[in-house]
Amino acid sequence: MTALSSHRFLANEPTTEGRAPMTTRTDNLPRAMLMGKRILVTGASKGIGAAIVRALHREGANLVLHFNTDRMSAIALTAELGHRVHAVGADLSDPSAGTRLWDEARNRLGEVDVLVNNAGAWIASPISDACGWSAGWTENLQLNLRAAADLCRLAVHDFEAQGGGAIITITSRSAHRGDDGDHLAYGAAKAGVLALTKGLARAFGHLGILAYAIAPGWVDTGLVAGTVDAKAEGTLPLRELTPPEDIAELVAFLASGRSRHLTGATLDVTGADYVR
């Protein structure tokens, strides 16, 4: 499947040139961007992931939300949304868990059209502690890079057979500028995600497979609770942390296929706190 006209992953009602045609609507209701799309979101029980699930669900997607340990939050979110959403648990620090998660997502949805890699953690790798350094690198590379890479591999395999798909990975501004001395492995793992995304976009774009990365700065979630105080927040250009909904809305747009030629790009969402 190398001809562009054979690619199925496009915006709603594509033409053979891959552009949505102008149509005359007989009603005044807006069309949901993601109606009928089947999407797996990792790390989706709270924070950025939960905001992503809410935005995608609002736009008509059928979803599998992945969680690790916070089963209660995942169940509460599925109850809140009511339908078209399934919660699936998996510990992505286990190298074998990605395959099981992907298989279960396909079982629940039939096929997966979009993969959103959001799972991750700010894991320390203290340079002054040899054991902590070694463990930190192992844990960061598995959870923050290898788990996403393994899911991407499975997605590419299925997307090729399906005629296309999209991969959206949440990375970090640390991927560009590095992180502090106790989190060097985190920054390196997140930089690896950028290289992975660019490689996927270049290698498989001709198959209709799109790949994007989103690099947030400080986001108003539990991950940064206690890290940014009011004084530090007051020095930010917008004088506030980034709402997780800002990232969620961008994910929804990218998942729609409405800007296919953004594939390979990294989109910074930092409120101008980090500008490159």
Side-chain angles (χ1 to χ4, degrees):
M1 270 180 283
T2 58
L4 182 59
S5 60
S6 67
H7 299 157
R8 187 168 61 82
F9 188 83
L10 300 168
N12 289 342
E13 300 181 352
T15 66
T16 55
E17 290 76 30
R19 297 193 179 107
M22 295 181 65
T23 59
T24 301
R25 299 294 304 279
T26 59
D27 57 71
N28 295 319
L29 296 175
R31 184 185 301 279
M33 284 195 297
L34 304 174
M35 188 65 67
K37 288 196 184 294
R38 297 155 296 187
I39 304 178
L40 166 62
V41 184
T42 69
S45 62
K46 55 192 173 185
I48 295 172
I52 290 170
V53 166
R54 290 186 177 100
L56 300 181
H57 186 268
R58 182 198 69 217
E59 295 296 334
N62 299 295
L63 295 154
V64 163
L65 73 87
H66 155 261
F67 67 93
N68 179 14
T69 59
D70 196 350
R71 181 182 181 85
M72 295 305 297
S73 291
I75 292 172
L77 184 54
T78 57
E80 170 194 329
L81 298 178
H83 64 293
R84 291 188 283 106
V85 58
H86 311 272
V88 175
D91 180 3
L92 293 177
S93 65
D94 176 356
S96 66
T99 298
R100 294 195 298 271
L101 172 60
W102 184 260
D103 289 345
E104 184 60 24
R106 293 184 71 230
N107 287 339
R108 299 291 185 97
L109 298 175
E111 291 179 340
V112 176
D113 302 306
V114 180
L115 166 65
V116 181
N117 284 310
N118 175 68
W122 195 47
I123 302 169
S125 54
I127 200 167
S128 60
D129 177 356
C131 292
W133 172 262
S134 180
W137 276 90
T138 299
E139 293 168 15
N140 270 288
L141 291 177
Q142 171 55 39
L143 181 59
N144 290 319
L145 177 57
R146 181 62 189 271
D150 288 345
L151 286 168
C152 287
R153 174 183 171 273
L154 295 165
V156 166
H157 180 271
D158 285 354
F159 290 170
E160 180 176 2
Q162 293 166 204
I167 298 168
I168 305 163
T169 301
I170 310 301
T171 176
S172 168
R173 67 178 180 178
S174 297
H176 300 303
R177 70 173 201 171
D179 214 298
D180 63 51
D182 284 337
H183 294 86
L184 297 175
Y186 175 82
K190 290 298 187 178
V193 168
L194 295 190
L196 172 67
T197 299
K198 294 171 184 177
L200 290 168
R202 290 174 56 80
F204 303 108
H206 68 287
L207 298 174
I209 298 172
L210 313 174
Y212 314 93
I214 298 174
W218 293 115
V219 181
D220 191 8
T221 68
L223 185 64
V224 301
T227 303
V228 182
D229 59 22
K231 182 178 179 180
E233 187 173 344
T235 68
L236 298 175
L238 296 183
R239 304 296 190 265
E240 64 179 9
L241 302 177
T242 298
E245 291 77 14
D246 280 24
I247 296 157
E249 295 300 331
L250 181 54
V251 171
F253 174 72
L254 295 174
S256 73
R258 293 186 177 187
S259 188
R260 295 169 51 254
H261 282 254
L262 269 175
T263 189
T266 300
L267 304 172
D268 297 341
V269 186
T270 68
D273 180 44
Y274 178 74
V275 179
R276 60 188 175 95

Short mmCIF file of all heavy atoms in Angstrom, two decimals, residues 90-129:
data_model
loop_
_atom_site.label_atom_id
_atom_site.label_comp_id
_atom_site.label_asym_id
_atom_site.label_seq_id
_atom_site.Cartn_x
_atom_site.Cartn_y
_atom_site.Cartn_z
N ALA A 90 -2.19 -2.21 33.03
CA ALA A 90 -0.92 -2.83 32.62
C ALA A 90 0.22 -2.04 33.25
O ALA A 90 0.17 -0.81 33.31
CB ALA A 90 -0.77 -2.85 31.10
N ASP A 91 1.23 -2.75 33.71
CA ASP A 91 2.42 -2.13 34.28
C ASP A 91 3.49 -2.05 33.20
O ASP A 91 4.18 -3.02 32.92
CB ASP A 91 2.91 -2.95 35.47
CG ASP A 91 4.17 -2.36 36.11
OD1 ASP A 91 4.62 -1.27 35.68
OD2 ASP A 91 4.70 -2.98 37.05
N LEU A 92 3.64 -0.88 32.60
CA LEU A 92 4.54 -0.73 31.47
C LEU A 92 6.02 -0.69 31.87
O LEU A 92 6.89 -0.61 31.01
CB LEU A 92 4.18 0.53 30.66
CG LEU A 92 2.83 0.44 29.94
CD1 LEU A 92 2.51 1.76 29.22
CD2 LEU A 92 2.79 -0.73 28.96
N SER A 93 6.29 -0.78 33.18
CA SER A 93 7.68 -1.00 33.59
C SER A 93 8.10 -2.45 33.35
O SER A 93 9.29 -2.78 33.41
CB SER A 93 7.88 -0.63 35.06
OG SER A 93 7.15 -1.49 35.91
N ASP A 94 7.14 -3.30 33.07
CA ASP A 94 7.38 -4.70 32.68
C ASP A 94 7.54 -4.75 31.17
O ASP A 94 6.61 -4.38 30.43
CB ASP A 94 6.20 -5.55 33.13
CG ASP A 94 6.30 -7.00 32.68
OD1 ASP A 94 7.25 -7.35 31.95
OD2 ASP A 94 5.42 -7.79 33.06
N PRO A 95 8.70 -5.18 30.66
CA PRO A 95 8.92 -5.17 29.22
C PRO A 95 7.92 -5.96 28.39
O PRO A 95 7.75 -5.71 27.20
CB PRO A 95 10.33 -5.77 29.07
CG PRO A 95 11.00 -5.47 30.38
CD PRO A 95 9.90 -5.59 31.41
N SER A 96 7.24 -6.91 29.01
CA SER A 96 6.27 -7.72 28.26
C SER A 96 4.86 -7.14 28.29
O SER A 96 3.97 -7.65 27.60
CB SER A 96 6.24 -9.15 28.82
OG SER A 96 5.72 -9.16 30.15
N ALA A 97 4.65 -6.08 29.07
CA ALA A 97 3.29 -5.59 29.27
C ALA A 97 2.73 -4.88 28.05
O ALA A 97 1.52 -4.88 27.82
CB ALA A 97 3.25 -4.65 30.48
N GLY A 98 3.58 -4.25 27.26
CA GLY A 98 3.11 -3.50 26.09
C GLY A 98 2.35 -4.37 25.10
O GLY A 98 1.30 -3.96 24.59
N THR A 99 2.87 -5.55 24.85
CA THR A 99 2.21 -6.46 23.91
C THR A 99 0.85 -6.88 24.43
O THR A 99 -0.14 -6.91 23.69
CB THR A 99 3.09 -7.70 23.66
OG1 THR A 99 4.32 -7.29 23.07
CG2 THR A 99 2.39 -8.68 22.73
N ARG A 100 0.77 -7.19 25.72
CA ARG A 100 -0.52 -7.58 26.30
C ARG A 100 -1.52 -6.42 26.25
O ARG A 100 -2.70 -6.63 25.96
CB ARG A 100 -0.32 -8.05 27.74
CG ARG A 100 0.51 -9.33 27.86
CD ARG A 100 0.36 -9.95 29.24
NE ARG A 100 0.85 -9.07 30.30
CZ ARG A 100 2.11 -9.05 30.73
NH1 ARG A 100 3.01 -9.85 30.17
NH2 ARG A 100 2.46 -8.25 31.72
N LEU A 101 -1.04 -5.22 26.51
CA LEU A 101 -1.93 -4.06 26.46
C LEU A 101 -2.45 -3.84 25.05
O LEU A 101 -3.65 -3.60 24.84
CB LEU A 101 -1.19 -2.81 26.95
CG LEU A 101 -1.92 -1.48 26.78
CD1 LEU A 101 -3.25 -1.48 27.54
CD2 LEU A 101 -1.03 -0.32 27.23
N TRP A 102 -1.58 -3.91 24.06
CA TRP A 102 -2.00 -3.71 22.67
C TRP A 102 -3.02 -4.76 22.25
O TRP A 102 -4.05 -4.44 21.63
CB TRP A 102 -0.79 -3.74 21.75
CG TRP A 102 -1.13 -3.44 20.32
CD1 TRP A 102 -1.30 -4.33 19.30
CD2 TRP A 102 -1.38 -2.14 19.76
NE1 TRP A 102 -1.62 -3.68 18.13
CE2 TRP A 102 -1.68 -2.33 18.39
CE3 TRP A 102 -1.38 -0.85 20.28
CZ2 TRP A 102 -1.98 -1.28 17.54
CZ3 TRP A 102 -1.67 0.21 19.44
CH2 TRP A 102 -1.97 -0.01 18.08
N ASP A 103 -2.75 -6.00 22.59
CA ASP A 103 -3.68 -7.08 22.23
C ASP A 103 -5.04 -6.87 22.88
O ASP A 103 -6.09 -7.09 22.25
CB ASP A 103 -3.10 -8.43 22.64
CG ASP A 103 -1.92 -8.86 21.78
OD1 ASP A 103 -1.73 -8.26 20.69
OD2 ASP A 103 -1.19 -9.77 22.19
N GLU A 104 -5.04 -6.45 24.15
CA GLU A 104 -6.32 -6.24 24.84
C GLU A 104 -7.06 -5.04 24.25
O GLU A 104 -8.29 -5.07 24.13
CB GLU A 104 -6.08 -6.03 26.33
CG GLU A 104 -7.34 -5.90 27.16
CD GLU A 104 -8.25 -7.12 27.08
OE1 GLU A 104 -7.75 -8.24 26.78
OE2 GLU A 104 -9.47 -6.96 27.30
N ALA A 105 -6.32 -4.00 23.87
CA ALA A 105 -6.96 -2.84 23.22
C ALA A 105 -7.63 -3.26 21.92
O ALA A 105 -8.76 -2.84 21.62
CB ALA A 105 -5.95 -1.74 22.98
N ARG A 106 -6.97 -4.08 21.15
CA ARG A 106 -7.56 -4.56 19.89
C ARG A 106 -8.76 -5.45 20.17
O ARG A 106 -9.75 -5.41 19.42
CB ARG A 106 -6.50 -5.32 19.07
CG ARG A 106 -5.39 -4.44 18.57
CD ARG A 106 -4.42 -5.21 17.69
NE ARG A 106 -5.05 -5.54 16.42
CZ ARG A 106 -5.07 -6.77 15.88
NH1 ARG A 106 -4.52 -7.78 16.52
NH2 ARG A 106 -5.66 -6.98 14.73
N ASN A 107 -8.69 -6.24 21.22
CA ASN A 107 -9.85 -7.07 21.58
C ASN A 107 -11.06 -6.21 21.92
O ASN A 107 -12.20 -6.54 21.57
CB ASN A 107 -9.50 -7.98 22.76
CG ASN A 107 -8.57 -9.11 22.38
OD1 ASN A 107 -8.48 -9.49 21.22
ND2 ASN A 107 -7.87 -9.66 23.37
N ARG A 108 -10.82 -5.12 22.63
CA ARG A 108 -11.93 -4.26 23.07
C ARG A 108 -12.47 -3.40 21.92
O ARG A 108 -13.68 -3.15 21.86
CB ARG A 108 -11.46 -3.34 24.20
CG ARG A 108 -10.96 -4.05 25.45
CD ARG A 108 -12.07 -4.76 26.22
NE ARG A 108 -11.58 -5.32 27.47
CZ ARG A 108 -11.67 -4.73 28.64
NH1 ARG A 108 -12.25 -3.54 28.74
NH2 ARG A 108 -11.19 -5.31 29.72
N LEU A 109 -11.58 -2.95 21.04
CA LEU A 109 -11.98 -1.99 20.01
C LEU A 109 -12.14 -2.60 18.62
O LEU A 109 -12.73 -1.96 17.74
CB LEU A 109 -10.93 -0.85 19.92
CG LEU A 109 -10.74 -0.01 21.18
CD1 LEU A 109 -9.61 0.98 20.97
CD2 LEU A 109 -12.03 0.72 21.56
N GLY A 110 -11.64 -3.78 18.41
CA GLY A 110 -11.64 -4.39 17.08
C GLY A 110 -10.34 -4.10 16.37
O GLY A 110 -9.59 -5.00 16.00
N GLU A 111 -10.05 -2.83 16.17
CA GLU A 111 -8.77 -2.36 15.66
C GLU A 111 -8.43 -1.08 16.41
O GLU A 111 -9.30 -0.47 17.05
CB GLU A 111 -8.82 -2.06 14.15
CG GLU A 111 -8.97 -3.28 13.27
CD GLU A 111 -9.03 -2.91 11.79
OE1 GLU A 111 -9.34 -1.73 11.48
OE2 GLU A 111 -8.78 -3.79 10.95
N VAL A 112 -7.17 -0.66 16.33
CA VAL A 112 -6.75 0.62 16.89
C VAL A 112 -6.33 1.51 15.73
O VAL A 112 -5.52 1.11 14.90
CB VAL A 112 -5.59 0.45 17.89
CG1 VAL A 112 -5.10 1.81 18.38
CG2 VAL A 112 -6.00 -0.43 19.06
N ASP A 113 -6.89 2.71 15.66
CA ASP A 113 -6.56 3.67 14.61
C ASP A 113 -5.52 4.70 15.05
O ASP A 113 -4.78 5.23 14.22
CB ASP A 113 -7.81 4.44 14.17
CG ASP A 113 -8.91 3.53 13.67
OD1 ASP A 113 -8.63 2.71 12.77
OD2 ASP A 113 -10.04 3.61 14.19
N VAL A 114 -5.50 4.99 16.34
CA VAL A 114 -4.60 6.00 16.88
C VAL A 114 -4.03 5.50 18.20
O VAL A 114 -4.76 5.02 19.06
CB VAL A 114 -5.33 7.35 17.12
CG1 VAL A 114 -4.36 8.39 17.68
CG2 VAL A 114 -5.98 7.86 15.84
N LEU A 115 -2.71 5.63 18.34
CA LEU A 115 -2.02 5.34 19.59
C LEU A 115 -1.55 6.65 20.21
O LEU A 115 -0.86 7.43 19.55
CB LEU A 115 -0.82 4.42 19.33
CG LEU A 115 0.20 4.29 20.47
CD1 LEU A 115 -0.42 3.62 21.69
CD2 LEU A 115 1.43 3.51 19.99
N VAL A 116 -1.92 6.88 21.47
CA VAL A 116 -1.43 8.05 22.21
C VAL A 116 -0.55 7.54 23.34
O VAL A 116 -1.04 6.95 24.31
CB VAL A 116 -2.58 8.90 22.76
CG1 VAL A 116 -2.02 10.12 23.51
CG2 VAL A 116 -3.52 9.35 21.64
N ASN A 117 0.75 7.75 23.20
CA ASN A 117 1.71 7.36 24.24
C ASN A 117 1.84 8.49 25.24
O ASN A 117 2.55 9.48 24.99
CB ASN A 117 3.08 7.09 23.61
CG ASN A 117 3.17 5.77 22.89
OD1 ASN A 117 2.81 4.73 23.44
ND2 ASN A 117 3.66 5.79 21.66
N ASN A 118 1.17 8.35 26.37
CA ASN A 118 1.24 9.38 27.40
C ASN A 118 1.88 8.87 28.69
O ASN A 118 2.36 9.67 29.49
CB ASN A 118 -0.17 9.91 27.70
CG ASN A 118 -0.18 10.88 28.85
OD1 ASN A 118 0.36 11.98 28.76
ND2 ASN A 118 -0.76 10.49 29.99
N ALA A 119 1.92 7.57 28.90
CA ALA A 119 2.45 7.03 30.15
C ALA A 119 3.90 7.43 30.34
O ALA A 119 4.70 7.42 29.40
CB ALA A 119 2.32 5.51 30.16
N GLY A 120 4.24 7.77 31.56
CA GLY A 120 5.62 8.14 31.87
C GLY A 120 5.72 8.60 33.30
O GLY A 120 4.72 8.80 33.99
N ALA A 121 6.95 8.78 33.77
CA ALA A 121 7.18 9.25 35.13
C ALA A 121 8.52 9.94 35.21
O ALA A 121 9.46 9.60 34.47
CB ALA A 121 7.14 8.07 36.12
N TRP A 122 8.60 10.93 36.08
CA TRP A 122 9.82 11.71 36.31
C TRP A 122 10.66 10.95 37.33
O TRP A 122 10.58 11.18 38.52
CB TRP A 122 9.46 13.11 36.79
CG TRP A 122 10.56 14.12 36.74
CD1 TRP A 122 11.40 14.36 35.71
CD2 TRP A 122 10.89 15.06 37.78
NE1 TRP A 122 12.25 15.40 36.03
CE2 TRP A 122 11.97 15.84 37.29
CE3 TRP A 122 10.40 15.31 39.05
CZ2 TRP A 122 12.55 16.86 38.03
CZ3 TRP A 122 10.98 16.33 39.79
CH2 TRP A 122 12.04 17.08 39.29
N ILE A 123 11.44 10.02 36.84
CA ILE A 123 12.19 9.09 37.69
C ILE A 123 13.61 9.61 37.88
O ILE A 123 14.30 9.93 36.91
CB ILE A 123 12.22 7.68 37.07
CG1 ILE A 123 10.78 7.17 36.85
CG2 ILE A 123 13.01 6.71 37.94
CD1 ILE A 123 10.71 5.91 36.00
N ALA A 124 14.06 9.65 39.12
CA ALA A 124 15.39 10.17 39.42
C ALA A 124 16.48 9.19 39.01
O ALA A 124 16.29 7.97 39.02
CB ALA A 124 15.51 10.49 40.91
N SER A 125 17.64 9.74 38.67
CA SER A 125 18.85 8.95 38.41
C SER A 125 20.02 9.72 39.05
O SER A 125 20.86 10.28 38.34
CB SER A 125 19.08 8.75 36.92
OG SER A 125 19.08 10.01 36.24
N PRO A 126 20.06 9.78 40.39
CA PRO A 126 21.02 10.65 41.08
C PRO A 126 22.47 10.32 40.75
O PRO A 126 22.92 9.19 40.91
CB PRO A 126 20.71 10.39 42.56
CG PRO A 126 20.00 9.08 42.60
CD PRO A 126 19.25 8.99 41.32
N ILE A 127 23.18 11.31 40.29
CA ILE A 127 24.54 11.11 39.82
C ILE A 127 25.49 10.78 40.95
O ILE A 127 26.55 10.18 40.73
CB ILE A 127 25.01 12.35 39.02
CG1 ILE A 127 26.19 12.00 38.12
CG2 ILE A 127 25.28 13.52 39.94
CD1 ILE A 127 26.51 13.06 37.09
N SER A 128 25.13 11.15 42.18
CA SER A 128 26.00 10.92 43.33
C SER A 128 25.84 9.53 43.94
O SER A 128 26.59 9.16 44.85
CB SER A 128 25.72 11.98 44.40
OG SER A 128 24.36 11.91 44.81
N ASP A 129 24.87 8.76 43.46
CA ASP A 129 24.54 7.45 44.03
C ASP A 129 24.64 6.41 42.93
O ASP A 129 23.80 6.37 42.02
CB ASP A 129 23.13 7.50 44.62
CG ASP A 129 22.66 6.15 45.17
OD1 ASP A 129 23.38 5.15 45.02
OD2 ASP A 129 21.54 6.10 45.73
#
